[in-house]
Amino acid sequence: MTSEPRQSQTRAPLAPPHAARPHLAQIAALAAGCLIYLLLAGYQLGLPGLHYDEAKEAGVNAVELLTGSPVTAFRGATVSLFGRQLPLMVQDYIGALNVYLALPLLALTGIGVPNLRSLALLTGLAALLLMERAISTWQRGGWAGGAAPGGAPTWAGVIAVWLLAASPSFVFWSRQGIFVTNLMQPLTWLCLWQGLRWLESGARRSLALCALGAGLALYAKLLALWVVGPFLVMLAMGWWARRRRGHAPAIQATTAGVALAALLAPLLPLIWFNLQTGGVWTTLAGNALQSYYGVDNRALLANGLARLDQLGQSLRGDHLWYLGGLYGNPLAPYLAALAIALGLMVQPRRLLPALALLAAALAASLATITGLFITHYALIQPLVIALAAGGLASWAEAGRVRRGVALVAVILWAALDLRATLLYHQALTRSGGLGSHSDASYHLAYTLRANGWSAPIALDWGIDAPVRYLSANSVRPIEIFGYESPAAPDP
């Protein structure tokens, strides 16, 4: 009588030698993509000229805090800390995060335009890295479950980084990131990454970080609700579906309490601001049916057609006229649609949740409290790129020929984007920026300061904040017009 050799019940099977090696190709490609982004977005960082929103939503308050000047807070709403009055918001729907993040950069490097834009540049880099983490978690099974947490970059994440690194929209929106509030991007991707990680690992810390990312993104700009809101709903639905199957992450009372506190803590300045001024509620309620710039929020079809056109423009990049020319990648929307379609053919369960998230975000964008501005799509364009990258990576897994097709699509897409971005840089060198992005504001501010004209009269929007920042708050224009309505003069 013979017996089978006894197997250890505790020892894990040995993994093949290649499984323990880091994915050096993906890591190297990811690093190269980030470097390309830094080179393209960091070149001639002082151009175009400083936009009003960059100065108003970060620069001016940061300079006032650094120089000890009285703070001109939005609607006068502040909180007192260590004897200083700190601004709570910079608009009714935009928090003061960029103000406080700019403080150490300006304190270390001085007051200047490239100095201020370094914050936006680093914010774009953080968005790329957190996007890769979210996509890689999703690709390993964050929606469907069954994957181990953590791990090296996936090719889907790397492809997305490469496509965004050369994208004219992403590059030039990131350079002037305060203008489009690109701070929403990394915070939203943090929310998505940690939410998916919580689903796959059950780690309580991931749920808390997901909630914190959501709260910070909403405080950065309420527009983040377009993506954060649907994602949190989908996350709850995913958890409920797993609970019915018996393998959902456990949620204890303390876990839920910590997550709720992490969500609400970043929103306390917004809540306190609204209690002081009523600004948030007034703006939301007063512009619910017709926006500040006259958009009819009930005209969903007309708004949808306008937004569809803007989505195509954000992918092509042919909307940055104020740089001195119009260039773009005409194939980008078609390549994105093809990539998503190919991915749905081979891995529908992997792509459908992300496609649903994109559809919900696009639907939310049909209504606005301001205008149908293409800059709003600074939040959505990376989501489209992520979905297309996931589709290409899924297609490439199905065989050598399909891998070749995916590689050609990525190279063609990135090359055409790179060409457009370089052409924009050439045009920007010649023009210095046009309209409200003109570098003429530099000469204006320096001339006013040199001649000691500390309180000139400003007859229109776009002058006050850039001049104040560029003169280190020594020139403070007096605006003699109002902001209540762009359609009628104020008293």
Side-chain angles (χ1 to χ4, degrees):
M1 182 175 178
T2 61
S3 62
E4 294 291 331
R6 297 180 61 187
Q7 298 287 333
S8 170
Q9 301 300 310
T10 58
R11 182 179 298 174
L14 293 176
H18 68 271
R21 291 200 299 264
H23 295 254
L24 295 179
Q26 287 97 319
I27 294 173
L30 176 63
C34 291
L35 179 60
I36 288 172
Y37 158 75
L38 289 173
L39 292 173
L40 292 174
Y43 177 63
Q44 55 183 6
L45 196 54
L47 295 177
L50 184 69
H51 189 270
Y52 183 92
D53 289 350
E54 294 180 86
K56 180 68 173 178
E57 295 171 9
V60 170
N61 282 163
V63 167
E64 289 170 338
L65 290 171
L66 286 174
T67 59
S69 304
V71 174
T72 53
F74 184 69
R75 294 191 186 272
T78 62
V79 62
S80 181
L81 186 65
F82 303 122
R84 297 303 310 274
Q85 297 300 311
L86 305 179
L88 295 171
M89 305 284 285
V90 294
Q91 295 288 345
D92 288 318
Y93 45 85
I94 301 177
L97 270 180
N98 274 318
V99 173
Y100 301 112
L101 291 174
L103 285 174
L105 276 174
L106 298 183
L108 288 172
T109 64
I111 298 169
V113 176
N115 317 54
L116 182 62
R117 287 180 179 164
S118 295
L119 169 61
L121 185 73
L122 295 175
T123 298
L125 179 61
L128 289 177
L129 294 173
L130 288 168
M131 178 187 68
E132 181 280 318
R133 289 288 78 199
I135 294 173
S136 294
T137 302
W138 156 45
Q139 286 287 297
R140 285 193 301 268
W143 285 112
T154 63
W155 281 117
V158 172
I159 290 170
V161 168
W162 269 83
L163 293 178
L164 274 183
S167 164
S169 295
F170 186 78
V171 166
F172 288 99
W173 277 341
S174 294
R175 290 161 61 82
Q176 293 181 279
I178 298 167
F179 164 58
V180 301
T181 321
N182 74 330
L183 194 56
M184 290 185 295
Q185 294 173 346
L187 296 172
T188 299
W189 285 115
L190 173 65
C191 172
L192 268 60
W193 170 35
Q194 290 298 318
L196 293 175
R197 198 169 189 275
W198 170 69
L199 271 186
E200 70 177 26
S201 70
R204 289 178 292 179
R205 181 178 64 178
S206 291
L207 182 60
L209 287 173
C210 170
L212 180 64
L216 286 170
L218 292 171
Y219 176 58
K221 191 172 185 178
L222 281 177
L223 185 145
L225 187 64
W226 290 359
V227 175
V228 168
F231 176 73
L232 293 180
V233 171
M234 293 175 66
L235 194 66
M237 292 172 61
W239 178 83
W240 180 257
R242 293 183 185 208
R243 184 174 180 269
R244 294 184 64 183
R245 295 196 298 266
H247 55 84
I251 302 181
Q252 300 173 344
T254 53
T255 303
V258 169
L260 183 61
L263 175 66
L264 293 178
L267 297 176
L268 289 177
L270 184 149
I271 295 169
W272 182 238
F273 168 84
N274 196 47
L275 290 174
Q276 286 191 35
T277 69
V280 179
W281 172 249
T282 300
T283 297
L284 293 178
N287 298 283
L289 297 181
Q290 180 169 302
S291 79
Y292 178 79
Y293 289 103
V295 176
D296 185 354
N297 286 325
R298 295 162 294 187
L300 297 181
L301 178 59
N303 295 350
L305 292 174
R307 285 304 201 187
L308 184 63
D309 184 55
Q310 290 177 344
L311 180 62
Q313 287 181 311
S314 72
L315 292 170
R316 293 190 301 268
D318 55 358
H319 57 92
L320 302 163
W321 59 269
Y322 53 85
L323 301 179
L326 274 181
Y327 310 99
N329 173 0
L331 296 183
Y334 303 104
L335 290 171
L338 177 64
I340 295 170
L342 293 177
L344 288 172
M345 287 172 57
V346 294
Q347 291 279 2
R349 291 188 61 191
R350 181 184 288 179
L351 265 71
L352 281 174
L355 186 60
L357 178 61
L358 173 62
L362 291 172
S365 74
L366 302 185
T368 176
I369 59 173
T370 54
L372 296 178
F373 300 133
I374 191 173
T375 49
H376 293 163
Y377 274 29
L379 180 65
I380 291 182
Q381 186 234 5
L383 192 58
V384 180
I385 299 294
L387 188 56
L392 288 172
S394 297
W395 178 260
E397 293 173 2
R400 181 176 298 180
V401 174
R402 292 181 176 183
R403 191 177 306 124
V405 171
L407 181 61
V408 169
V410 171
I411 292 174
L412 180 62
W413 191 341
L416 291 174
D417 274 359
L418 178 62
R419 175 183 177 276
T421 297
L422 293 176
L423 287 173
Y424 271 127
H425 267 301
Q426 292 177 11
L428 183 56
T429 302
R430 295 190 299 267
S431 72
L434 304 176
S436 57
H437 299 262
S438 171
D439 62 350
S441 60
Y442 299 167
H443 308 293
L444 174 62
Y446 301 150
T447 299
L448 291 171
R449 184 175 186 177
N451 286 278
W453 297 329
S454 59
I457 301 297
L459 301 177
D460 201 359
W461 172 90
I463 297 172
D464 171 57
V467 166
R468 288 181 61 185
Y469 177 77
L470 293 167
S471 67
N473 211 35
S474 63
V475 179
R476 300 167 63 92
I478 300 171
E479 295 183 323
I480 58 170
F481 64 95
Y483 289 90
E484 287 302 317
S485 170
D490 65 292

